[in-house]
Amino acid sequence: MNGLTTSTHPHRPPALRVENLHTVYRNGAQETSVVRGVSFDVHSGEIVGLVGESGSGKSTVLKSLLDLIGENGQARADVLEVAGQDVRSLPRAEYRRMRGVELAFISQDPANAFNPAWTIGSQFRRVLKRHFPGMSRRELDAWAVELLGAVGIDGRGKLDSYPFQFSQGQLQRIMIALACASERLQVLLADEPTTSLDVTIEAQVLQLIRRLRDERGLAVVLVTHNLAVVAEMCDRVLVMYAGRIVEDAPVRDLFRNPQHPYTRQLLKSIPAFPRDGRRLHTMTGAVPDLSIDVAGCAFAPRCEERISGLCDTIRPVLPPRTERATARAACHVVSGAVPAASGGEGDG
Amino acid sequence: MSRLIVFRTLFAVPVLFLISVISFGMLRAAPGDPAVLQAGAGASPEAIEAARKQLRLDDSLVEQYFAWFAAVVRGDLGNSYTSGLPVTELIGARLPATVQLSLFALVLIIGIGVPLGVTSALHRNRPYDQLVRVVSLIGISVPNFVIGILLILIFGWWVTGVLPFQGYVPLHENAWENVRHLILPATALAIPEMGLVARLTRSSMLEVLGQEYISSARALGIAERTVIWKDALRNALMPVVTIVGVVTGFLLGGSVVVESVFGIPGLGRLLVESFATRDYPVTIGVMMFIAITFVVINIVVDVLYGVINPRIRLSTRRGAR
Ligand SMILES: Nc1ncnc2c1ncn2[C@@H]1O[C@H](COP(=O)(O)OP(=O)(O)OP(=O)(O)O)[C@@H](O)[C@H]1O
Ligand SMILES: [Mg+2]
């Protein structure tokens, strides 16, 4: 459904492509559909932001891509391609072996991302052993120090230290070094990588991610709550609402000309600096209950521009990407549809 | 680390002192006159009076306590009223059976309880998990002597000749028979604690499996087997280690009953026998011995916990400097 064209890399296939991803969690008899037909692709060298309110399913999208959904959940997609490989045709164990090799993950909580019982050195060694099977212990340690150096940490003599002996910011950089240790790495999934860090450290870590993208041509998915980070880091932005992507836009367009009413409300809730004297916009209503599937647009109940009789009955879909219109939104108001002319049901 | 040991030992001294005072007092408050029992049934009042003198029972309680205490500090627990043998010697003779029984039970508790807990966590909410949870709850709720009597019924009545259900054969006499005789009592002693350990391991394992670093290890491509049996298990066992000390205390206490049920000449039975004859020095000697053992085991467990937990190990090392 999706043209594979982007302005940046028209020829190569994307490093990550997912189509129609659905993820449900089961809790006893209750099923919650958390991700409801998400499609997107990320090219090498591209940083794609994934934004949306808490509970919109951003982390679940990343976890689904990594096959990290626990036993009480299930993810399925029509297409899942990582580094040009059709992952769905691989045995599950083999796909799981791609994690840490072609595909890496950084979480928002570096303090808990390391096993507290082991030294940093031993956690490096066992990962590096996968990438460089022939290396001796001494070579592995030397390589670990090298990788740490690349993220700005002097690892000499620190390999025998335990995770709790480092600061949050150091741990996040160590995690990035560890996650990106594979020389075949193509896709980096970062889930709010700087949420737990203070502002100066945040800048360092973001800088590091950008450098990795530049030097190694990684395709990066960056989940964040911080729209300033989006503005600074991302090439393209996906806005998620209630398990669906409601807007997909180049970062410039998103800030200059947001399409979806939800995106516009999100932008209005950023404080202006210097203060413009206006009260900060707070979004009304709450994220919808994901265990019920409404017929119309999930945002309609909170939308100030909803067209009654349309928005609450027919679900708007994200139009296919064309080269002409690079920004697109799943919204009847934006597409200027009238009830009779609106397209059929489908996945957004 | 050594600081930890010294600190814990110093802390244990007043605790032990308190235990000795309380048990000494309660023992004397119990009905029954050792002089009467000593002199035998139907003895003349003169004989009883002589026995009373000999046992120094006319001294005040405080005097008696300090006489006993002064001897204990010199390592002398006194002599048995009934046999006249030194209490230390009696304890020494009964110790091997109890140590063996407790160790055997501990091996069962850890060797079966931990794997049950882990596999139960891995099959969370599936029939296997539910079965393990129900069975371990039953194990916890049924007292060990009931389990003991049940086992005796089964092996002494229905399937006779498979396992011995009474008595004890010393290890140096016949190792095979020694083990065979310990199977049932160790099982009776172990089952309640096994249930406890299984449940604790299960919940601890589930908690660890939900931790961020487990997802993180998976995302780094670490094999699932390694993630579960190395990453998760090691951390899940930390709380289990801390209760092993408590469990050992239960075992020593539980052996009092189980040894009597299975006719094993161990410390527990010595305690029961000595109390029946109001053989005070033996009773209090055994009680103090068990209390000290319990305290020492718990210090050892604390130290071990420090060894496996780097955060504690490093902070106490730093503190010692
Ligand atoms: N393991 C789980 N079992 C059941 N429901 C879950 C589970 N994990 C997440 N959910 C639910 O899925 C929904 C989306 O969660 P998710 O963590 O993906 O949101 P998010 O967009 O990342 O939010 P945040 O910005 O707070 O991180 C939430 O309603 C959450 O309650
Ligand atoms: Mg999240």
Side-chain angles (χ1 to χ4, degrees):
Chain A
M1 65 179 256
N2 203 345
L4 286 180
T5 41
T6 66
S7 48
T8 39
H9 301 269
H11 309 300
R12 279 199 290 155
L16 171 67
R17 183 161 91 98
V18 50
E19 256 179 49
N20 204 13
L21 176 70
H22 283 266
T23 308
V24 293
Y25 283 115
R26 236 165 280 110
N27 208 334
Q30 173 156 315
E31 269 203 3
T32 315
S33 184
V34 173
V35 177
R36 306 172 159 196
V38 160
S39 306
F40 66 94
D41 52 40
V42 189
H43 285 259
S44 298
E46 193 181 24
I47 300 182
V48 170
L50 189 55
V51 300
E53 268 170 296
S54 195
S56 54
K58 307 178 297 292
S59 299
T60 307
V61 167
L62 298 197
K63 278 194 223 154
S64 306
L65 298 179
L66 286 155
D67 195 7
L68 283 179
I69 299 293
E71 279 183 21
N72 68 330
Q74 201 189 354
R76 59 184 172 76
D78 292 347
V79 176
L80 178 53
E81 284 175 14
V82 176
Q85 277 253 39
D86 173 11
V87 166
R88 292 174 70 246
S89 68
L90 293 177
R92 193 168 194 184
E94 203 159 310
Y95 175 48
R96 289 183 161 184
R97 277 197 290 275
M98 285 176 74
R99 302 188 294 200
V101 181
E102 274 93 358
L103 178 69
F105 175 66
I106 307 168
S107 77
Q108 64 176 338
D109 186 9
N112 291 318
F114 292 87
N115 193 319
W118 292 329
T119 63
I120 291 295
S122 70
Q123 304 197 43
F124 260 97
R125 279 192 293 276
R126 68 175 188 161
V127 169
L128 293 181
K129 243 184 256 167
R130 295 185 65 220
H131 307 319
F132 312 100
M135 273 194 185
S136 69
R137 186 186 158 125
R138 179 171 300 189
E139 288 168 322
L140 291 172
D141 280 351
W143 191 233
V145 169
E146 185 97 349
L147 290 172
L148 286 172
V151 298
I153 286 176
D154 184 2
R156 282 168 301 171
K158 294 227 185 93
L159 293 183
D160 288 334
S161 300
Y162 287 88
F164 70 88
Q165 295 172 300
F166 295 88
S167 73
Q168 292 258 354
Q170 285 174 320
L171 284 176
Q172 192 60 298
R173 282 181 287 157
I174 296 172
M175 184 39 84
I176 292 174
L178 192 57
C180 300
S182 161
E183 298 190 316
R184 282 153 56 195
L185 189 66
Q186 297 204 21
V187 179
L188 177 63
L189 307 176
D191 193 355
E192 305 188 35
T194 57
T195 303
S196 59
L197 310 178
D198 69 47
V199 191
T200 42
I201 308 295
E202 170 172 46
Q204 286 176 12
V205 168
L206 292 175
Q207 180 60 35
L208 179 60
I209 292 174
R210 200 160 30 200
R211 210 183 74 216
L212 279 166
R213 186 272 306 264
D214 294 342
E215 289 172 0
R216 300 174 59 180
L218 297 186
V220 181
V221 179
L222 181 65
V223 171
T224 177
H225 278 289
N226 188 337
L227 289 169
V229 169
V230 171
E232 197 180 301
M233 295 282 292
C234 299
D235 303 302
R236 206 149 55 81
V237 187
L238 308 170
V239 181
M240 254 187 111
Y241 187 80
R244 293 193 176 87
I245 292 176
V246 296
E247 178 156 358
D248 169 7
V251 70
R252 252 164 206 273
D253 298 5
L254 186 94
F255 285 97
R256 288 201 184 146
N257 186 18
Q259 308 274 308
H260 200 283
Y262 175 64
T263 314
R264 275 181 265 153
Q265 291 209 19
L266 266 187
L267 291 177
K268 268 199 271 179
S269 49
I270 323 176
F273 187 85
R275 289 187 59 169
D276 53 8
R278 274 183 298 171
R279 283 197 61 168
L280 211 53
H281 178 85
T282 37
M283 227 175 278
T284 50
V287 200
D289 181 357
L290 290 172
S291 52
I292 329 166
D293 200 12
V294 292
C297 173
F299 186 62
R302 300 168 73 186
C303 184
E304 288 157 2
E305 298 160 53
R306 70 172 167 272
I307 307 166
S308 48
L310 173 62
C311 291
D312 41 16
T313 49
I314 299 171
R315 182 178 309 135
V317 295
L318 204 60
R321 174 124 46 95
T322 63
E323 251 174 313
R324 252 181 333 113
T326 40
R328 55 206 180 113
C331 175
H332 295 304
V333 179
V334 173
S335 55
V338 289
S342 67
E345 287 288 292
D347 302 294
Chain B
M1 188 58 62
S2 52
R3 222 172 85 127
L4 178 74
I5 299 173
V6 171
F7 180 76
R8 288 298 312 266
T9 311
L10 286 179
F11 189 72
V13 170
V15 171
L16 288 172
F17 178 74
L18 214 66
I19 292 176
S20 74
V21 170
I22 292 173
S23 31
F24 200 91
M26 287 193 11
L27 214 51
R28 304 293 151 140
D33 186 345
V36 176
L37 292 162
Q38 174 85 10
S44 64
E46 293 77 38
I48 293 176
E49 198 47 45
R52 190 180 296 278
K53 269 236 163 59
Q54 190 209 330
L55 299 179
R56 299 181 58 184
L57 291 171
D58 286 332
D59 295 0
S60 79
L61 208 57
V62 178
E63 273 174 328
Q64 286 186 47
Y65 178 79
F66 280 107
W68 174 81
F69 186 81
V72 168
V73 174
R74 282 180 270 113
D76 177 12
L77 288 174
N79 295 334
S80 159
Y81 289 169
T82 46
S83 66
L85 290 170
V87 173
T88 42
E89 203 171 290
L90 286 175
I91 291 178
R94 299 294 191 98
L95 194 56
T98 300
V99 168
Q100 267 201 309
L101 182 59
S102 305
L103 280 181
F104 199 153
L106 201 61
V107 168
L108 290 180
I109 289 166
I110 294 170
I112 298 176
V114 167
L116 270 184
V118 171
T119 48
S120 179
L122 295 180
H123 292 85
R124 177 184 197 170
N125 291 341
R126 284 192 245 147
Y128 173 81
D129 176 36
Q130 268 140 9
L131 184 74
V132 171
R133 280 161 71 188
V134 169
V135 169
S136 50
L137 190 64
I138 294 173
I140 293 172
S141 347
V142 180
N144 51 27
F145 66 89
V146 173
I147 298 173
I149 290 168
L150 222 63
L151 286 175
I152 290 177
L153 255 171
I154 294 172
F155 287 90
W157 192 258
W158 288 312
V159 280
T160 45
V162 181
L163 281 173
F165 54 88
Q166 279 292 309
Y168 172 76
V169 177
L171 185 64
H172 56 85
E173 268 176 32
N174 185 337
W176 169 240
E177 280 304 317
N178 169 269
V179 171
R180 269 169 46 88
H181 276 81
L182 284 174
I183 290 177
L184 293 183
T187 307
L189 198 52
I191 281 178
E193 319 307 329
M194 208 188 277
L196 192 74
V197 165
R199 287 182 84 93
L200 183 71
T201 308
R202 175 186 181 273
S203 63
S204 167
M205 189 75 184
L206 281 179
E207 196 200 314
V208 169
L209 283 175
Q211 293 286 320
E212 185 81 34
Y213 59 82
I214 295 297
S215 316
S216 169
R218 287 182 176 136
L220 285 168
I222 307 293
E224 189 63 19
R225 218 175 339 110
T226 319
V227 169
I228 286 170
W229 296 102
K230 282 198 178 156
D231 287 74
L233 188 60
R234 162 147 189 181
N235 289 292
L237 283 185
M238 296 229 182
V240 178
V241 169
T242 55
I243 69 142
V244 166
V246 180
V247 164
T248 316
F250 285 147
L251 289 185
L252 291 174
S255 65
V256 173
V257 179
V258 168
E259 282 174 8
S260 303
V261 170
F262 285 93
I264 294 173
L267 276 185
R269 225 177 63 172
L270 180 62
L271 189 69
V272 175
E273 290 165 3
S274 68
F275 188 70
T277 56
R278 298 297 182 272
D279 194 346
Y280 290 160
V282 177
T283 311
I284 196 149
V286 174
M287 282 168 94
M288 287 317 294
F289 183 83
I290 290 178
I292 291 170
T293 311
F294 185 64
V295 165
V296 169
I297 286 172
N298 275 285
I299 293 177
V300 170
V301 166
D302 272 8
V303 170
L304 271 184
Y305 184 69
V307 170
I308 60 171
N309 188 338
R311 197 178 280 250
I312 289 180
R313 170 161 30 104
L314 294 176
S315 67
T316 53
R317 190 194 292 165
R318 209 176 298 137
R321 266 190 215 134

